PDB file of all heavy atoms in Angstrom:
ATOM      1  N   MET A   1     -56.456-148.103  77.452  1.00 98.00           N
ATOM      2  CA  MET A   1     -55.892-149.367  77.950  1.00 98.00           C
ATOM      3  C   MET A   1     -54.428-149.130  78.452  1.00 98.00           C
ATOM      4  O   MET A   1     -53.772-148.195  78.082  1.00 98.00           O
ATOM      5  CB  MET A   1     -55.946-150.469  77.023  1.00 98.00           C
ATOM      6  CG  MET A   1     -57.351-150.778  76.445  1.00 98.00           C
ATOM      7  SD  MET A   1     -58.584-151.342  77.728  1.00 98.00           S
ATOM      8  CE  MET A   1     -57.865-152.980  78.080  1.00 98.00           C
ATOM      9  N   ALA A   2     -54.015-150.060  79.210  1.00 98.00           N
ATOM     10  CA  ALA A   2     -52.596-150.103  79.721  1.00 98.00           C
ATOM     11  C   ALA A   2     -52.052-151.515  79.860  1.00 98.00           C
ATOM     12  O   ALA A   2     -52.799-152.438  80.093  1.00 98.00           O
ATOM     13  CB  ALA A   2     -52.438-149.317  81.007  1.00 98.00           C
ATOM     14  N   ARG A   3     -50.797-151.594  79.811  1.00 98.00           N
ATOM     15  CA  ARG A   3     -50.109-152.887  80.193  1.00 98.00           C
ATOM     16  C   ARG A   3     -49.557-152.485  81.585  1.00 98.00           C
ATOM     17  O   ARG A   3     -48.851-151.436  81.750  1.00 98.00           O
ATOM     18  CB  ARG A   3     -48.959-153.197  79.317  1.00 98.00           C
ATOM     19  CG  ARG A   3     -48.414-154.636  79.467  1.00 98.00           C
ATOM     20  CD  ARG A   3     -47.449-155.013  78.446  1.00 98.00           C
ATOM     21  NE  ARG A   3     -46.328-154.194  78.520  1.00 98.00           N
ATOM     22  CZ  ARG A   3     -45.057-154.584  78.453  1.00 98.00           C
ATOM     23  NH1 ARG A   3     -44.874-155.866  78.175  1.00 98.00           N
ATOM     24  NH2 ARG A   3     -44.022-153.876  78.625  1.00 98.00           N
ATOM     25  N   VAL A   4     -49.919-153.286  82.648  1.00 98.00           N
ATOM     26  CA  VAL A   4     -49.654-152.962  83.974  1.00 98.00           C
ATOM     27  C   VAL A   4     -48.771-154.124  84.538  1.00 98.00           C
ATOM     28  O   VAL A   4     -49.005-155.276  84.347  1.00 98.00           O
ATOM     29  CB  VAL A   4     -50.948-152.783  84.797  1.00 98.00           C
ATOM     30  CG1 VAL A   4     -50.638-152.508  86.239  1.00 98.00           C
ATOM     31  CG2 VAL A   4     -51.777-151.691  84.170  1.00 98.00           C
ATOM     32  N   ASP A   5     -47.709-153.692  85.356  1.00 95.00           N
ATOM     33  CA  ASP A   5     -46.811-154.616  86.016  1.00 95.00           C
ATOM     34  C   ASP A   5     -47.220-154.781  87.435  1.00 95.00           C
ATOM     35  O   ASP A   5     -47.227-153.754  88.218  1.00 95.00           O
ATOM     36  CB  ASP A   5     -45.378-154.220  85.904  1.00 95.00           C
ATOM     37  CG  ASP A   5     -44.487-155.123  86.614  1.00 95.00           C
ATOM     38  OD1 ASP A   5     -44.503-156.332  86.343  1.00 95.00           O
ATOM     39  OD2 ASP A   5     -43.747-154.637  87.534  1.00 95.00           O
ATOM     40  N   PHE A   6     -47.621-155.958  87.848  1.00 90.00           N
ATOM     41  CA  PHE A   6     -47.986-156.296  89.263  1.00 90.00           C
ATOM     42  C   PHE A   6     -46.809-157.002  89.998  1.00 90.00           C
ATOM     43  O   PHE A   6     -46.935-158.141  90.260  1.00 90.00           O
ATOM     44  CB  PHE A   6     -49.208-157.119  89.326  1.00 90.00           C
ATOM     45  CG  PHE A   6     -50.438-156.532  88.664  1.00 90.00           C
ATOM     46  CD1 PHE A   6     -50.708-156.748  87.339  1.00 90.00           C
ATOM     47  CD2 PHE A   6     -51.247-155.614  89.377  1.00 90.00           C
ATOM     48  CE1 PHE A   6     -51.828-156.206  86.751  1.00 90.00           C
ATOM     49  CE2 PHE A   6     -52.325-155.057  88.774  1.00 90.00           C
ATOM     50  CZ  PHE A   6     -52.672-155.328  87.430  1.00 90.00           C
ATOM     51  N   GLY A   7     -45.747-156.334  90.178  1.00 85.00           N
ATOM     52  CA  GLY A   7     -44.607-156.952  90.869  1.00 85.00           C
ATOM     53  C   GLY A   7     -44.026-158.106  90.106  1.00 85.00           C
ATOM     54  O   GLY A   7     -43.594-159.070  90.732  1.00 85.00           O
ATOM     55  N   GLY A   8     -44.038-158.070  88.824  1.00 88.00           N
ATOM     56  CA  GLY A   8     -43.451-159.176  88.028  1.00 88.00           C
ATOM     57  C   GLY A   8     -44.459-159.843  87.075  1.00 88.00           C
ATOM     58  O   GLY A   8     -44.044-160.553  86.175  1.00 88.00           O
ATOM     59  N   ILE A   9     -45.734-159.665  87.304  1.00 90.00           N
ATOM     60  CA  ILE A   9     -46.780-160.243  86.488  1.00 90.00           C
ATOM     61  C   ILE A   9     -47.342-159.126  85.710  1.00 90.00           C
ATOM     62  O   ILE A   9     -47.741-158.115  86.342  1.00 90.00           O
ATOM     63  CB  ILE A   9     -47.885-160.917  87.303  1.00 90.00           C
ATOM     64  CG1 ILE A   9     -47.332-162.094  88.034  1.00 90.00           C
ATOM     65  CG2 ILE A   9     -49.055-161.400  86.475  1.00 90.00           C
ATOM     66  CD1 ILE A   9     -48.321-162.778  89.038  1.00 90.00           C
ATOM     67  N   ARG A  10     -47.509-159.242  84.415  1.00 95.00           N
ATOM     68  CA  ARG A  10     -47.955-158.163  83.529  1.00 95.00           C
ATOM     69  C   ARG A  10     -49.281-158.554  83.013  1.00 95.00           C
ATOM     70  O   ARG A  10     -49.456-159.677  82.468  1.00 95.00           O
ATOM     71  CB  ARG A  10     -46.986-157.813  82.488  1.00 95.00           C
ATOM     72  CG  ARG A  10     -45.687-157.283  83.123  1.00 95.00           C
ATOM     73  CD  ARG A  10     -44.655-156.932  82.186  1.00 95.00           C
ATOM     74  NE  ARG A  10     -43.538-156.356  82.972  1.00 95.00           N
ATOM     75  CZ  ARG A  10     -42.413-156.005  82.444  1.00 95.00           C
ATOM     76  NH1 ARG A  10     -42.195-156.208  81.139  1.00 95.00           N
ATOM     77  NH2 ARG A  10     -41.490-155.423  83.146  1.00 95.00           N
ATOM     78  N   ARG A  11     -50.213-157.609  83.013  1.00 96.00           N
ATOM     79  CA  ARG A  11     -51.598-157.833  82.577  1.00 96.00           C
ATOM     80  C   ARG A  11     -52.100-156.582  81.918  1.00 96.00           C
ATOM     81  O   ARG A  11     -51.617-155.455  82.161  1.00 96.00           O
ATOM     82  CB  ARG A  11     -52.547-158.212  83.669  1.00 96.00           C
ATOM     83  CG  ARG A  11     -52.231-159.510  84.379  1.00 96.00           C
ATOM     84  CD  ARG A  11     -52.753-160.703  83.506  1.00 96.00           C
ATOM     85  NE  ARG A  11     -52.603-161.926  84.249  1.00 96.00           N
ATOM     86  CZ  ARG A  11     -51.605-162.807  84.189  1.00 96.00           C
ATOM     87  NH1 ARG A  11     -50.528-162.447  83.457  1.00 96.00           N
ATOM     88  NH2 ARG A  11     -51.560-163.822  84.854  1.00 96.00           N
ATOM     89  N   GLU A  12     -53.171-156.755  81.074  1.00 97.00           N
ATOM     90  CA  GLU A  12     -53.848-155.565  80.446  1.00 97.00           C
ATOM     91  C   GLU A  12     -54.855-155.066  81.449  1.00 97.00           C
ATOM     92  O   GLU A  12     -55.541-155.883  82.142  1.00 97.00           O
ATOM     93  CB  GLU A  12     -54.455-156.101  79.167  1.00 97.00           C
ATOM     94  CG  GLU A  12     -55.179-154.989  78.368  1.00 97.00           C
ATOM     95  CD  GLU A  12     -55.729-155.631  77.121  1.00 97.00           C
ATOM     96  OE1 GLU A  12     -56.740-156.397  77.161  1.00 97.00           O
ATOM     97  OE2 GLU A  12     -55.228-155.274  76.048  1.00 97.00           O
ATOM     98  N   ALA A  13     -55.068-153.764  81.418  1.00 98.00           N
ATOM     99  CA  ALA A  13     -56.136-153.205  82.289  1.00 98.00           C
ATOM    100  C   ALA A  13     -56.771-151.942  81.555  1.00 98.00           C
ATOM    101  O   ALA A  13     -56.008-151.307  80.798  1.00 98.00           O
ATOM    102  CB  ALA A  13     -55.530-152.728  83.637  1.00 98.00           C
ATOM    103  N   CYS A  14     -57.972-151.780  81.747  1.00 98.00           N
ATOM    104  CA  CYS A  14     -58.670-150.563  81.293  1.00 98.00           C
ATOM    105  C   CYS A  14     -58.404-149.422  82.141  1.00 98.00           C
ATOM    106  O   CYS A  14     -58.562-149.441  83.316  1.00 98.00           O
ATOM    107  CB  CYS A  14     -60.168-150.945  81.141  1.00 98.00           C
ATOM    108  SG  CYS A  14     -61.166-149.509  80.378  1.00 98.00           S
ATOM    109  N   LEU A  15     -58.152-148.223  81.526  1.00 98.00           N
ATOM    110  CA  LEU A  15     -57.886-147.018  82.231  1.00 98.00           C
ATOM    111  C   LEU A  15     -59.032-146.017  82.181  1.00 98.00           C
ATOM    112  O   LEU A  15     -58.893-144.808  82.573  1.00 98.00           O
ATOM    113  CB  LEU A  15     -56.613-146.322  81.813  1.00 98.00           C
ATOM    114  CG  LEU A  15     -55.315-147.037  81.932  1.00 98.00           C
ATOM    115  CD1 LEU A  15     -54.185-146.295  81.364  1.00 98.00           C
ATOM    116  CD2 LEU A  15     -55.043-147.421  83.414  1.00 98.00           C
ATOM    117  N   GLU A  16     -60.178-146.438  81.707  1.00 97.00           N
ATOM    118  CA  GLU A  16     -61.282-145.485  81.509  1.00 97.00           C
ATOM    119  C   GLU A  16     -61.736-144.884  82.857  1.00 97.00           C
ATOM    120  O   GLU A  16     -62.159-143.669  82.867  1.00 97.00           O
ATOM    121  CB  GLU A  16     -62.494-146.179  80.801  1.00 97.00           C
ATOM    122  CG  GLU A  16     -62.285-146.463  79.371  1.00 97.00           C
ATOM    123  CD  GLU A  16     -62.150-145.237  78.504  1.00 97.00           C
ATOM    124  OE1 GLU A  16     -63.006-144.368  78.655  1.00 97.00           O
ATOM    125  OE2 GLU A  16     -61.228-145.203  77.711  1.00 97.00           O
ATOM    126  N   TYR A  17     -61.606-145.501  84.007  1.00 97.00           N
ATOM    127  CA  TYR A  17     -62.030-144.903  85.207  1.00 97.00           C
ATOM    128  C   TYR A  17     -60.938-144.144  85.864  1.00 97.00           C
ATOM    129  O   TYR A  17     -61.134-143.504  86.918  1.00 97.00           O
ATOM    130  CB  TYR A  17     -62.468-146.089  86.240  1.00 97.00           C
ATOM    131  CG  TYR A  17     -63.612-146.847  85.748  1.00 97.00           C
ATOM    132  CD1 TYR A  17     -63.682-148.176  85.916  1.00 97.00           C
ATOM    133  CD2 TYR A  17     -64.714-146.264  85.193  1.00 97.00           C
ATOM    134  CE1 TYR A  17     -64.767-148.986  85.491  1.00 97.00           C
ATOM    135  CE2 TYR A  17     -65.813-146.974  84.783  1.00 97.00           C
ATOM    136  CZ  TYR A  17     -65.806-148.333  84.975  1.00 97.00           C
ATOM    137  OH  TYR A  17     -66.952-149.079  84.521  1.00 97.00           O
ATOM    138  N   THR A  18     -59.715-144.156  85.355  1.00 97.00           N
ATOM    139  CA  THR A  18     -58.580-143.368  85.802  1.00 97.00           C
ATOM    140  C   THR A  18     -57.938-142.598  84.743  1.00 97.00           C
ATOM    141  O   THR A  18     -56.766-142.874  84.317  1.00 97.00           O
ATOM    142  CB  THR A  18     -57.585-144.364  86.556  1.00 97.00           C
ATOM    143  OG1 THR A  18     -57.227-145.370  85.591  1.00 97.00           O
ATOM    144  CG2 THR A  18     -58.110-144.961  87.765  1.00 97.00           C
ATOM    145  N   PRO A  19     -58.672-141.661  84.196  1.00 95.00           N
ATOM    146  CA  PRO A  19     -58.026-140.906  82.980  1.00 95.00           C
ATOM    147  C   PRO A  19     -56.808-140.174  83.300  1.00 95.00           C
ATOM    148  O   PRO A  19     -56.007-139.905  82.425  1.00 95.00           O
ATOM    149  CB  PRO A  19     -59.189-139.885  82.655  1.00 95.00           C
ATOM    150  CG  PRO A  19     -59.975-139.795  83.911  1.00 95.00           C
ATOM    151  CD  PRO A  19     -59.882-141.104  84.612  1.00 95.00           C
ATOM    152  N   GLU A  20     -56.513-139.899  84.554  1.00 96.00           N
ATOM    153  CA  GLU A  20     -55.263-139.190  84.944  1.00 96.00           C
ATOM    154  C   GLU A  20     -54.026-140.124  84.981  1.00 96.00           C
ATOM    155  O   GLU A  20     -52.852-139.664  84.987  1.00 96.00           O
ATOM    156  CB  GLU A  20     -55.398-138.551  86.342  1.00 96.00           C
ATOM    157  CG  GLU A  20     -55.452-139.521  87.554  1.00 96.00           C
ATOM    158  CD  GLU A  20     -56.718-140.287  87.724  1.00 96.00           C
ATOM    159  OE1 GLU A  20     -57.632-140.165  86.942  1.00 96.00           O
ATOM    160  OE2 GLU A  20     -56.824-140.999  88.822  1.00 96.00           O
ATOM    161  N   ALA A  21     -54.191-141.450  84.949  1.00 98.00           N
ATOM    162  CA  ALA A  21     -53.110-142.363  85.015  1.00 98.00           C
ATOM    163  C   ALA A  21     -52.243-142.271  83.782  1.00 98.00           C
ATOM    164  O   ALA A  21     -52.712-142.246  82.619  1.00 98.00           O
ATOM    165  CB  ALA A  21     -53.594-143.843  85.139  1.00 98.00           C
ATOM    166  N   ALA A  22     -50.872-142.316  84.003  1.00 98.00           N
ATOM    167  CA  ALA A  22     -49.948-142.220  82.826  1.00 98.00           C
ATOM    168  C   ALA A  22     -48.836-143.261  83.086  1.00 98.00           C
ATOM    169  O   ALA A  22     -48.760-143.871  84.197  1.00 98.00           O
ATOM    170  CB  ALA A  22     -49.332-140.811  82.930  1.00 98.00           C
ATOM    171  N   VAL A  23     -47.979-143.436  82.142  1.00 98.00           N
ATOM    172  CA  VAL A  23     -46.848-144.354  82.273  1.00 98.00           C
ATOM    173  C   VAL A  23     -46.120-143.990  83.487  1.00 98.00           C
ATOM    174  O   VAL A  23     -45.758-142.750  83.705  1.00 98.00           O
ATOM    175  CB  VAL A  23     -46.049-144.298  80.936  1.00 98.00           C
ATOM    176  CG1 VAL A  23     -44.767-145.092  81.119  1.00 98.00           C
ATOM    177  CG2 VAL A  23     -46.880-144.833  79.816  1.00 98.00           C
ATOM    178  N   GLY A  24     -45.815-144.943  84.282  1.00 98.00           N
ATOM    179  CA  GLY A  24     -45.011-144.809  85.473  1.00 98.00           C
ATOM    180  C   GLY A  24     -45.834-144.682  86.744  1.00 98.00           C
ATOM    181  O   GLY A  24     -45.346-144.807  87.841  1.00 98.00           O
ATOM    182  N   ASP A  25     -47.127-144.312  86.581  1.00 98.00           N
ATOM    183  CA  ASP A  25     -47.988-144.215  87.710  1.00 98.00           C
ATOM    184  C   ASP A  25     -48.381-145.614  88.253  1.00 98.00           C
ATOM    185  O   ASP A  25     -48.310-146.579  87.451  1.00 98.00           O
ATOM    186  CB  ASP A  25     -49.313-143.463  87.334  1.00 98.00           C
ATOM    187  CG  ASP A  25     -49.107-141.991  87.091  1.00 98.00           C
ATOM    188  OD1 ASP A  25     -48.072-141.439  87.500  1.00 98.00           O
ATOM    189  OD2 ASP A  25     -49.983-141.358  86.491  1.00 98.00           O
ATOM    190  N   HIS A  26     -48.867-145.585  89.432  1.00 98.00           N
ATOM    191  CA  HIS A  26     -49.403-146.871  90.018  1.00 98.00           C
ATOM    192  C   HIS A  26     -50.896-146.789  90.137  1.00 98.00           C
ATOM    193  O   HIS A  26     -51.390-145.759  90.591  1.00 98.00           O
ATOM    194  CB  HIS A  26     -48.751-147.083  91.465  1.00 98.00           C
ATOM    195  CG  HIS A  26     -47.341-147.455  91.377  1.00 98.00           C
ATOM    196  ND1 HIS A  26     -46.351-146.515  91.114  1.00 98.00           N
ATOM    197  CD2 HIS A  26     -46.726-148.621  91.448  1.00 98.00           C
ATOM    198  CE1 HIS A  26     -45.152-147.150  91.095  1.00 98.00           C
ATOM    199  NE2 HIS A  26     -45.368-148.455  91.288  1.00 98.00           N
ATOM    200  N   VAL A  27     -51.563-147.864  89.731  1.00 98.00           N
ATOM    201  CA  VAL A  27     -52.952-147.907  89.816  1.00 98.00           C
ATOM    202  C   VAL A  27     -53.448-149.111  90.504  1.00 98.00           C
ATOM    203  O   VAL A  27     -52.685-150.092  90.568  1.00 98.00           O
ATOM    204  CB  VAL A  27     -53.641-147.927  88.358  1.00 98.00           C
ATOM    205  CG1 VAL A  27     -53.403-146.580  87.663  1.00 98.00           C
ATOM    206  CG2 VAL A  27     -53.103-149.004  87.540  1.00 98.00           C
ATOM    207  N   VAL A  28     -54.592-149.107  91.145  1.00 96.00           N
ATOM    208  CA  VAL A  28     -55.188-150.281  91.798  1.00 96.00           C
ATOM    209  C   VAL A  28     -56.176-150.877  90.711  1.00 96.00           C
ATOM    210  O   VAL A  28     -57.088-150.224  90.198  1.00 96.00           O
ATOM    211  CB  VAL A  28     -55.928-149.972  93.045  1.00 96.00           C
ATOM    212  CG1 VAL A  28     -56.660-151.167  93.627  1.00 96.00           C
ATOM    213  CG2 VAL A  28     -54.961-149.371  94.048  1.00 96.00           C
ATOM    214  N   VAL A  29     -55.972-152.170  90.366  1.00 96.00           N
ATOM    215  CA  VAL A  29     -56.742-152.805  89.302  1.00 96.00           C
ATOM    216  C   VAL A  29     -57.634-153.853  89.946  1.00 96.00           C
ATOM    217  O   VAL A  29     -57.234-154.652  90.745  1.00 96.00           O
ATOM    218  CB  VAL A  29     -55.810-153.463  88.246  1.00 96.00           C
ATOM    219  CG1 VAL A  29     -56.625-154.213  87.185  1.00 96.00           C
ATOM    220  CG2 VAL A  29     -54.950-152.416  87.574  1.00 96.00           C
ATOM    221  N   HIS A  30     -58.944-153.779  89.499  1.00 95.00           N
ATOM    222  CA  HIS A  30     -59.968-154.714  90.052  1.00 95.00           C
ATOM    223  C   HIS A  30     -60.647-155.216  88.864  1.00 95.00           C
ATOM    224  O   HIS A  30     -61.249-154.427  88.060  1.00 95.00           O
ATOM    225  CB  HIS A  30     -60.883-154.026  90.996  1.00 95.00           C
ATOM    226  CG  HIS A  30     -62.074-154.875  91.500  1.00 95.00           C
ATOM    227  ND1 HIS A  30     -61.880-155.953  92.305  1.00 95.00           N
ATOM    228  CD2 HIS A  30     -63.341-154.735  91.245  1.00 95.00           C
ATOM    229  CE1 HIS A  30     -63.061-156.527  92.599  1.00 95.00           C
ATOM    230  NE2 HIS A  30     -63.970-155.818  91.879  1.00 95.00           N
ATOM    231  N   VAL A  31     -60.736-156.550  88.730  1.00 93.00           N
ATOM    232  CA  VAL A  31     -61.313-157.214  87.537  1.00 93.00           C
ATOM    233  C   VAL A  31     -61.032-156.516  86.276  1.00 93.00           C
ATOM    234  O   VAL A  31     -61.905-156.384  85.438  1.00 93.00           O
ATOM    235  CB  VAL A  31     -62.861-157.507  87.757  1.00 93.00           C
ATOM    236  CG1 VAL A  31     -63.123-158.470  88.845  1.00 93.00           C
ATOM    237  CG2 VAL A  31     -63.665-156.190  87.933  1.00 93.00           C
ATOM    238  N   GLY A  32     -59.772-156.172  86.026  1.00 95.00           N
ATOM    239  CA  GLY A  32     -59.330-155.643  84.698  1.00 95.00           C
ATOM    240  C   GLY A  32     -59.568-154.164  84.557  1.00 95.00           C
ATOM    241  O   GLY A  32     -59.133-153.671  83.468  1.00 95.00           O
ATOM    242  N   PHE A  33     -60.022-153.448  85.577  1.00 97.00           N
ATOM    243  CA  PHE A  33     -60.214-152.013  85.499  1.00 97.00           C
ATOM    244  C   PHE A  33     -59.408-151.286  86.525  1.00 97.00           C
ATOM    245  O   PHE A  33     -59.427-151.681  87.723  1.00 97.00           O
ATOM    246  CB  PHE A  33     -61.645-151.653  85.649  1.00 97.00           C
ATOM    247  CG  PHE A  33     -62.580-152.030  84.583  1.00 97.00           C
ATOM    248  CD1 PHE A  33     -63.149-153.311  84.499  1.00 97.00           C
ATOM    249  CD2 PHE A  33     -62.876-151.169  83.546  1.00 97.00           C
ATOM    250  CE1 PHE A  33     -63.968-153.728  83.464  1.00 97.00           C
ATOM    251  CE2 PHE A  33     -63.687-151.516  82.504  1.00 97.00           C
ATOM    252  CZ  PHE A  33     -64.249-152.838  82.491  1.00 97.00           C
ATOM    253  N   ALA A  34     -58.589-150.319  86.069  1.00 97.00           N
ATOM    254  CA  ALA A  34     -57.883-149.530  87.097  1.00 97.00           C
ATOM    255  C   ALA A  34     -58.918-148.599  87.745  1.00 97.00           C
ATOM    256  O   ALA A  34     -59.687-147.923  87.030  1.00 97.00           O
ATOM    257  CB  ALA A  34     -56.809-148.628  86.407  1.00 97.00           C
TER     258      ALA A  34
END
């Protein structure tokens, strides 16, 4: 999982579909999944 910042709004997202994502990376989140 990750805490993700959407330009000032922060939400939790699952990173299971983006195993390469790391802190500082940008991900596209759809219905709670990166």
